[in-house]
Amino acid sequence: MNKPEIIVIDYGVGNLLSVQRGLEKCGAKVNLTSDPQKILEANRVVLPGVGAFSNAMKTLKNLGLTETLIELAKLKTPLLGICLGMQLLFEESEEFGITEGLGLIPGRVISVPNQTISGEKQKIPHIGWSSLYSPIMKDWSNTLLQNNKAGDCAYFVHSFMAMPSDSNNLIAECNYGGTKIAAVVGKDQITGCQFHPEKSGEVGLEILRNFCAD
C-alpha cells in the first residue's frame, strides 16, 4: 500500500518536526518545502504556524506563497491549517494592528479575553487541554472529526482566536472561562485546527489520520 504524500509548508514559522512526526505516525510520507510549484502539485497540504500573525503573513508574501495558497484553494486541494496556520486562513487579524490574512474563510482573528465571563482574570495565552464540543445542530460526519466525539480533549497554546462570520464554517468549539473559542473550522476542502493535533495524543492522531485519508 502506498503511503499518502503530504506537503508541510516550511516558511520558518512553526514546529515543523512535531507536525512531521505526527503525520508520519499516521502512515504519511511528508515533504517539507516552500516551493510554490511543489505545493500546487501536492495531494494534501499542511500550513503550520506559531508566533505573530503579521510576521507569518509577511513571510508568506515574501516567499510568494499567499498567491500559491489562494490558488491551492481554487484547486480544491485538501489544506489543513494548524494553530497560527488556522488563523492565517481568515480575512484579517487584529494582532498588533489590523493585518490582512489569506481570506480563504470569512471572518477575523481577535484576542482571547483576559477575563472570564464572570469578570475574573484568566491567563493568556490559553495553554493546556480543553474539551471539544460540537456547535448546536453541527454534525461531525464528513469532517476531520468524524471519528472523534464531543468531550475529546486537545492541546491548545494561543493568545488569539478566530471568529468565523459564517456559522456553517464552525465545526468545533472549546470553552475557556465561559468564552466559546473556535477550535476547528472548515470550508470546502479547507480545515483549520486552533489546537495542535500532533500534540493531542490519540485524539489528535485520529484527526491527522482522517486528513491523510481524505
Side-chain angles (χ1 to χ4, degrees):
M1 182 177 177
N2 292 330
K3 291 184 176 182
E5 295 189 10
I6 295 178
I7 290 287
V8 175
I9 298 179
D10 181 2
Y11 63 115
V13 181
N15 188 348
L16 300 182
L17 187 58
S18 64
V19 174
Q20 180 179 1
R21 286 176 174 170
L23 290 165
E24 288 174 345
K25 278 186 180 180
C26 298
K29 177 182 178 182
V30 179
N31 293 309
L32 307 178
T33 187
S34 60
D35 185 319
Q37 192 58 40
K38 290 182 179 178
I39 294 168
L40 288 173
E41 292 172 353
N43 294 319
R44 301 171 184 82
V45 176
V46 175
L47 177 64
V50 295
F53 189 103
S54 57
N55 290 342
M57 283 302 302
K58 182 178 179 179
T59 302
L60 287 175
K61 287 178 181 177
N62 289 342
L63 292 171
L65 293 178
T66 53
E67 297 87 352
T68 300
L69 286 161
I70 291 168
E71 184 62 28
L72 195 74
K74 293 178 182 177
L75 293 172
K76 303 295 185 182
T77 301
L79 171 64
L80 174 62
I82 295 177
C83 197
L84 175 60
M86 166 182 146
Q87 295 176 9
L88 296 173
L89 301 174
F90 285 83
E91 294 170 304
E92 63 180 22
S93 171
E94 66 174 29
E95 185 179 5
F96 302 124
I98 301 298
T99 302
E100 184 179 353
L102 293 168
L104 301 179
I105 298 178
R108 67 198 312 262
V109 177
I110 66 171
S111 301
V112 175
N114 60 9
Q115 290 185 334
T116 67
I117 57 170
S118 59
E120 299 169 351
K121 187 176 180 180
Q122 67 181 358
K123 292 182 179 179
I124 302 295
H126 167 214
I127 300 178
W129 295 86
S130 292
S131 297
L132 305 178
Y133 295 101
S134 175
I136 296 174
M137 303 299 290
K138 180 66 68 171
D139 184 356
W140 285 351
S141 299
N142 301 314
T143 74
L144 294 188
L145 295 180
Q146 61 187 3
N147 295 328
N148 296 91
K149 62 183 184 300
D152 281 351
C153 290
Y155 188 75
F156 291 78
V157 183
H158 64 116
S159 300
F160 287 78
M161 62 183 192
M163 298 287 288
S165 56
D166 185 344
S167 61
N168 290 321
N169 299 145
L170 181 61
I171 297 173
E173 298 174 315
C174 73
N175 185 313
Y176 188 55
T179 295
K180 292 181 178 180
I181 292 175
V184 182
V185 296
K187 181 184 179 186
D188 300 325
Q189 278 70 40
I190 301 170
T191 304
C193 294
Q194 180 60 71
F195 54 89
H196 288 272
E198 78 281 5
K199 297 180 180 179
S200 297
E202 187 59 31
V203 168
L205 289 177
E206 196 61 50
I207 293 168
L208 294 180
R209 286 190 196 101
N210 278 327
F211 181 70
C212 291
D214 189 15

